Amino acid sequence: MDACDVLIVGAGPAGSSCAWKLRDSGLTTVILDRHSFPRDKVCGGWITPPVIGELEIDLAEYSRNRVLQPICGFRTSRMGGREIETGYDQPISYGIRRCEFDDFLLKRCGAPIYEGMALGSLEQSGDRWLINGQFKTRVVVGAGGHFCPVARLRGANARREIAVAAQEIEFEMTERQSKECSIQGETPELYFCPDMKGYGWCVRKKNFLNVGLGRLDPRELPRYVAGLIDFLKRTRKVAFTIPWKMLGHSYLLYGYAERNVAGDGILLIGDAAGLAYSQSGEGIRPAIESGLLAAKAILAVGAKNKIELSDRYLGSLQERFGTSQAEWISSIGRHLPTWLLRSASRFLMVNPWFSRRVLLERWFLHRDEAALTF
Ligand SMILES: Cc1cc2nc3c(=O)[nH]c(=O)nc-3n(C[C@H](O)[C@H](O)[C@H](O)COP(=O)(O)OP(=O)(O)OC[C@H]3O[C@@H](n4cnc5c(N)ncnc54)[C@H](O)[C@@H]3O)c2cc1C
């Protein structure tokens, strides 16, 4: 039997950030994941600068053997409508490949890693948790993504929740394909669905192309994805046939999620807690920040006092992300009829002020929220 203070289930950005923050703390931390790394993850793969600062990532070191695409603007439109290009004089985001980024974070987190090991069982044993009959721990951190088994044991039912459903493909372009693709690495493109219930994207990261679409309405997803592929080809943005089948995944947006995030020595972080930003679907930053906040709560309270630990973590989540209510604009949007959203989007999406100040800086880049500091 292995004993530890903290056991983290899931080694994505949430889990590895939590372990990284706990390194050198004197607490024994173990991290397990059902996959072996590097593993891929269905994702557009862009991150915002606070992530770099919060995790103290040295960009020069990172980019030595990995893809790092600085992004200095976005081209946005209502799919098929007039496009607005919004530029900045410095990087406002970076394109990364999840297979590389997640592996990088995991390898430097400092905790023993059990790869290829899924959570099989989680049982209470006195004041500890017994995991897979092998590990005894005081605190369990559930970081297993949307379908996290720890969240499930705390009552989450992913099938009944309102989630974003998304499909994505990332591949390396051949030299010919590269010439037949007009998307610029520094300026990814976002194509909003007319009813504003989702958007498609085309992001070029050096020689890799990532194409996808996410919607809050899973039934219509295949139709919109087919429309996006057709649109990209028709406009010769991607003039070749996109090669393979897309991969699908779903996840919760903050404000739509009602998960039981903390209690009994269990803390949920990242997608397991349902923290992705409600307008953009960006989930990497909230995953990392919640991992850091969980670690901070553990460091402040210790692994023994479970009630104080839950209170401390829940308080810090609320302080950071607000109460579990979607922003007013998306809350209103949920109740407006589709015809009204369609007309509003036609007008708003061609307005350069709206595209820069609201769509990009507020909803996508969260520029008003400084990086977490400890
Ligand atoms: C199509 C799509 C595009 C997206 N694009 C972006 C984007 O461009 N930018 C952005 O910020 N966010 C994006 N997101 C959201 C982002 O991918 C997630 O919010 C983020 O990955 C959450 O990180 P996490 O660590 O919580 O979970 P994950 O990254 O999902 O990691 C969970 C880990 O848990 C492991 N695990 C699962 N079950 C078990 C088990 N039973 N036992 C052990 N381990 C287990 C998994 O193997 C995995 O490694 C996108 C999501 C989708 C679906």
Side-chain angles (χ1 to χ4, degrees):
M1 184 85 54
D2 298 318
C4 56
D5 296 302
V6 182
L7 187 137
I8 302 171
V9 178
S16 61
S17 302
C18 184
W20 177 77
K21 197 74 203 165
L22 292 172
R23 75 198 187 287
D24 307 328
S25 65
L27 295 170
T28 42
T29 304
V30 164
I31 184 162
L32 59 91
D33 198 291
R34 65 179 174 165
H35 286 120
S36 295
F37 282 62
R39 62 101 177 87
D40 219 340
K41 159 78 180 76
V42 179
C43 188
W46 77 72
I47 54 172
T48 40
V51 161
I52 308 292
E54 287 164 352
L55 294 181
E56 296 167 25
I57 296 172
D58 176 344
L59 288 181
E61 180 206 343
Y62 183 84
S63 60
R64 213 164 290 140
N65 312 307
R66 300 170 193 90
V67 172
L68 182 76
Q69 172 66 61
I71 294 173
C72 298
F74 281 93
R75 188 178 272 268
T76 53
S77 62
R78 191 177 185 264
M79 200 184 295
R82 182 150 69 86
E83 298 183 354
I84 301 282
E85 189 168 325
T86 309
Y88 295 85
D89 51 17
Q90 59 189 11
I92 43 152
S93 277
Y94 295 92
I96 47 93
R97 301 195 66 221
R98 287 294 299 270
C99 51
E100 296 174 349
F101 184 71
D102 292 13
D103 189 50
F104 171 81
L105 296 185
L106 183 61
K107 296 277 151 61
R108 62 165 213 164
C109 80
I113 307 158
Y114 291 80
E115 297 179 58
M117 182 187 281
L119 178 87
S121 60
L122 177 66
E123 299 153 283
Q124 205 135 22
S125 162
D127 66 341
R128 316 266 168 131
W129 288 101
L130 179 61
I131 284 161
N132 291 0
Q134 181 181 346
F135 302 98
K136 255 192 175 176
T137 181
R138 289 184 189 280
V139 175
V140 177
V141 176
H146 181 54
F147 298 100
C148 179
V150 184
R152 207 164 48 236
L153 286 166
R154 290 192 60 74
N157 184 342
R159 276 182 202 168
R160 294 230 182 107
E161 294 166 319
I162 303 173
V164 171
Q167 288 187 5
E168 169 265 355
I169 184 169
E170 183 166 291
F171 59 95
E172 185 165 20
M173 291 184 285
T174 62
E175 208 175 310
R176 206 182 111 223
Q177 288 172 335
S178 217
K179 286 185 190 138
E180 290 181 348
C181 172
S182 69
I183 308 292
Q184 302 298 308
E186 294 215 331
T187 317
E189 304 200 357
L190 306 176
Y191 319 104
F192 288 81
C193 303
D195 60 6
M196 298 300 273
K197 285 191 177 155
Y199 65 93
W201 63 85
C202 204
V203 183
R204 185 180 192 147
K205 309 165 189 173
K206 306 288 181 203
N207 220 23
F208 289 84
L209 194 66
N210 187 300
V211 179
L213 189 140
R215 274 183 67 80
L216 262 171
D217 159 18
R219 267 176 305 141
E220 290 279 2
L221 181 66
R223 185 167 74 80
Y224 276 91
V225 170
L228 172 68
I229 302 294
D230 178 59
F231 164 75
L232 291 174
K233 193 148 188 196
R234 212 167 4 93
T235 51
R236 303 196 66 76
K237 288 174 182 292
V238 180
F240 57 89
T241 302
I242 291 183
W244 303 295
K245 258 189 110 175
M246 293 207 163
L247 297 172
H249 191 59
S250 48
Y251 62 113
L252 291 173
L253 301 178
Y254 194 57
Y256 292 74
E258 281 177 13
R259 291 202 168 176
N260 192 356
V261 167
D264 303 327
I266 294 180
L267 307 178
L268 301 183
I269 60 176
D271 278 5
L275 296 175
Y277 289 134
S278 58
Q279 293 86 9
S280 63
E282 177 191 0
I284 298 173
R285 180 175 174 187
I288 285 167
E289 291 188 349
S290 58
L292 298 175
L293 291 172
K296 195 180 169 194
I298 296 167
L299 291 172
V301 175
K304 286 187 194 157
N305 189 337
K306 295 180 176 173
I307 295 176
E308 210 186 322
L309 179 61
S310 301
D311 289 349
R312 173 80 65 135
Y313 177 57
L314 287 172
S316 64
L317 277 189
Q318 217 165 79
E319 198 181 317
R320 185 64 183 166
F321 300 107
T323 49
S324 184
Q325 297 290 322
E327 262 202 40
W328 63 272
I329 193 134
S330 37
S331 309
I332 294 170
R334 263 193 274 175
H335 301 294
L336 287 178
T338 306
W339 66 265
L340 192 54
L341 285 172
R342 281 180 187 273
S343 345
S345 72
R346 188 171 288 131
F347 160 71
L348 289 172
M349 295 302 297
V350 293
N351 181 310
W353 179 88
F354 178 82
S355 300
R356 180 181 287 272
R357 299 284 178 229
V358 181
L359 186 72
L360 292 177
E361 295 182 0
R362 191 176 164 91
W363 292 353
F364 274 71
L365 303 171
H366 287 257
R367 282 194 134 189
D368 49 344
E369 285 162 36
L372 276 181
T373 48
F374 290 101

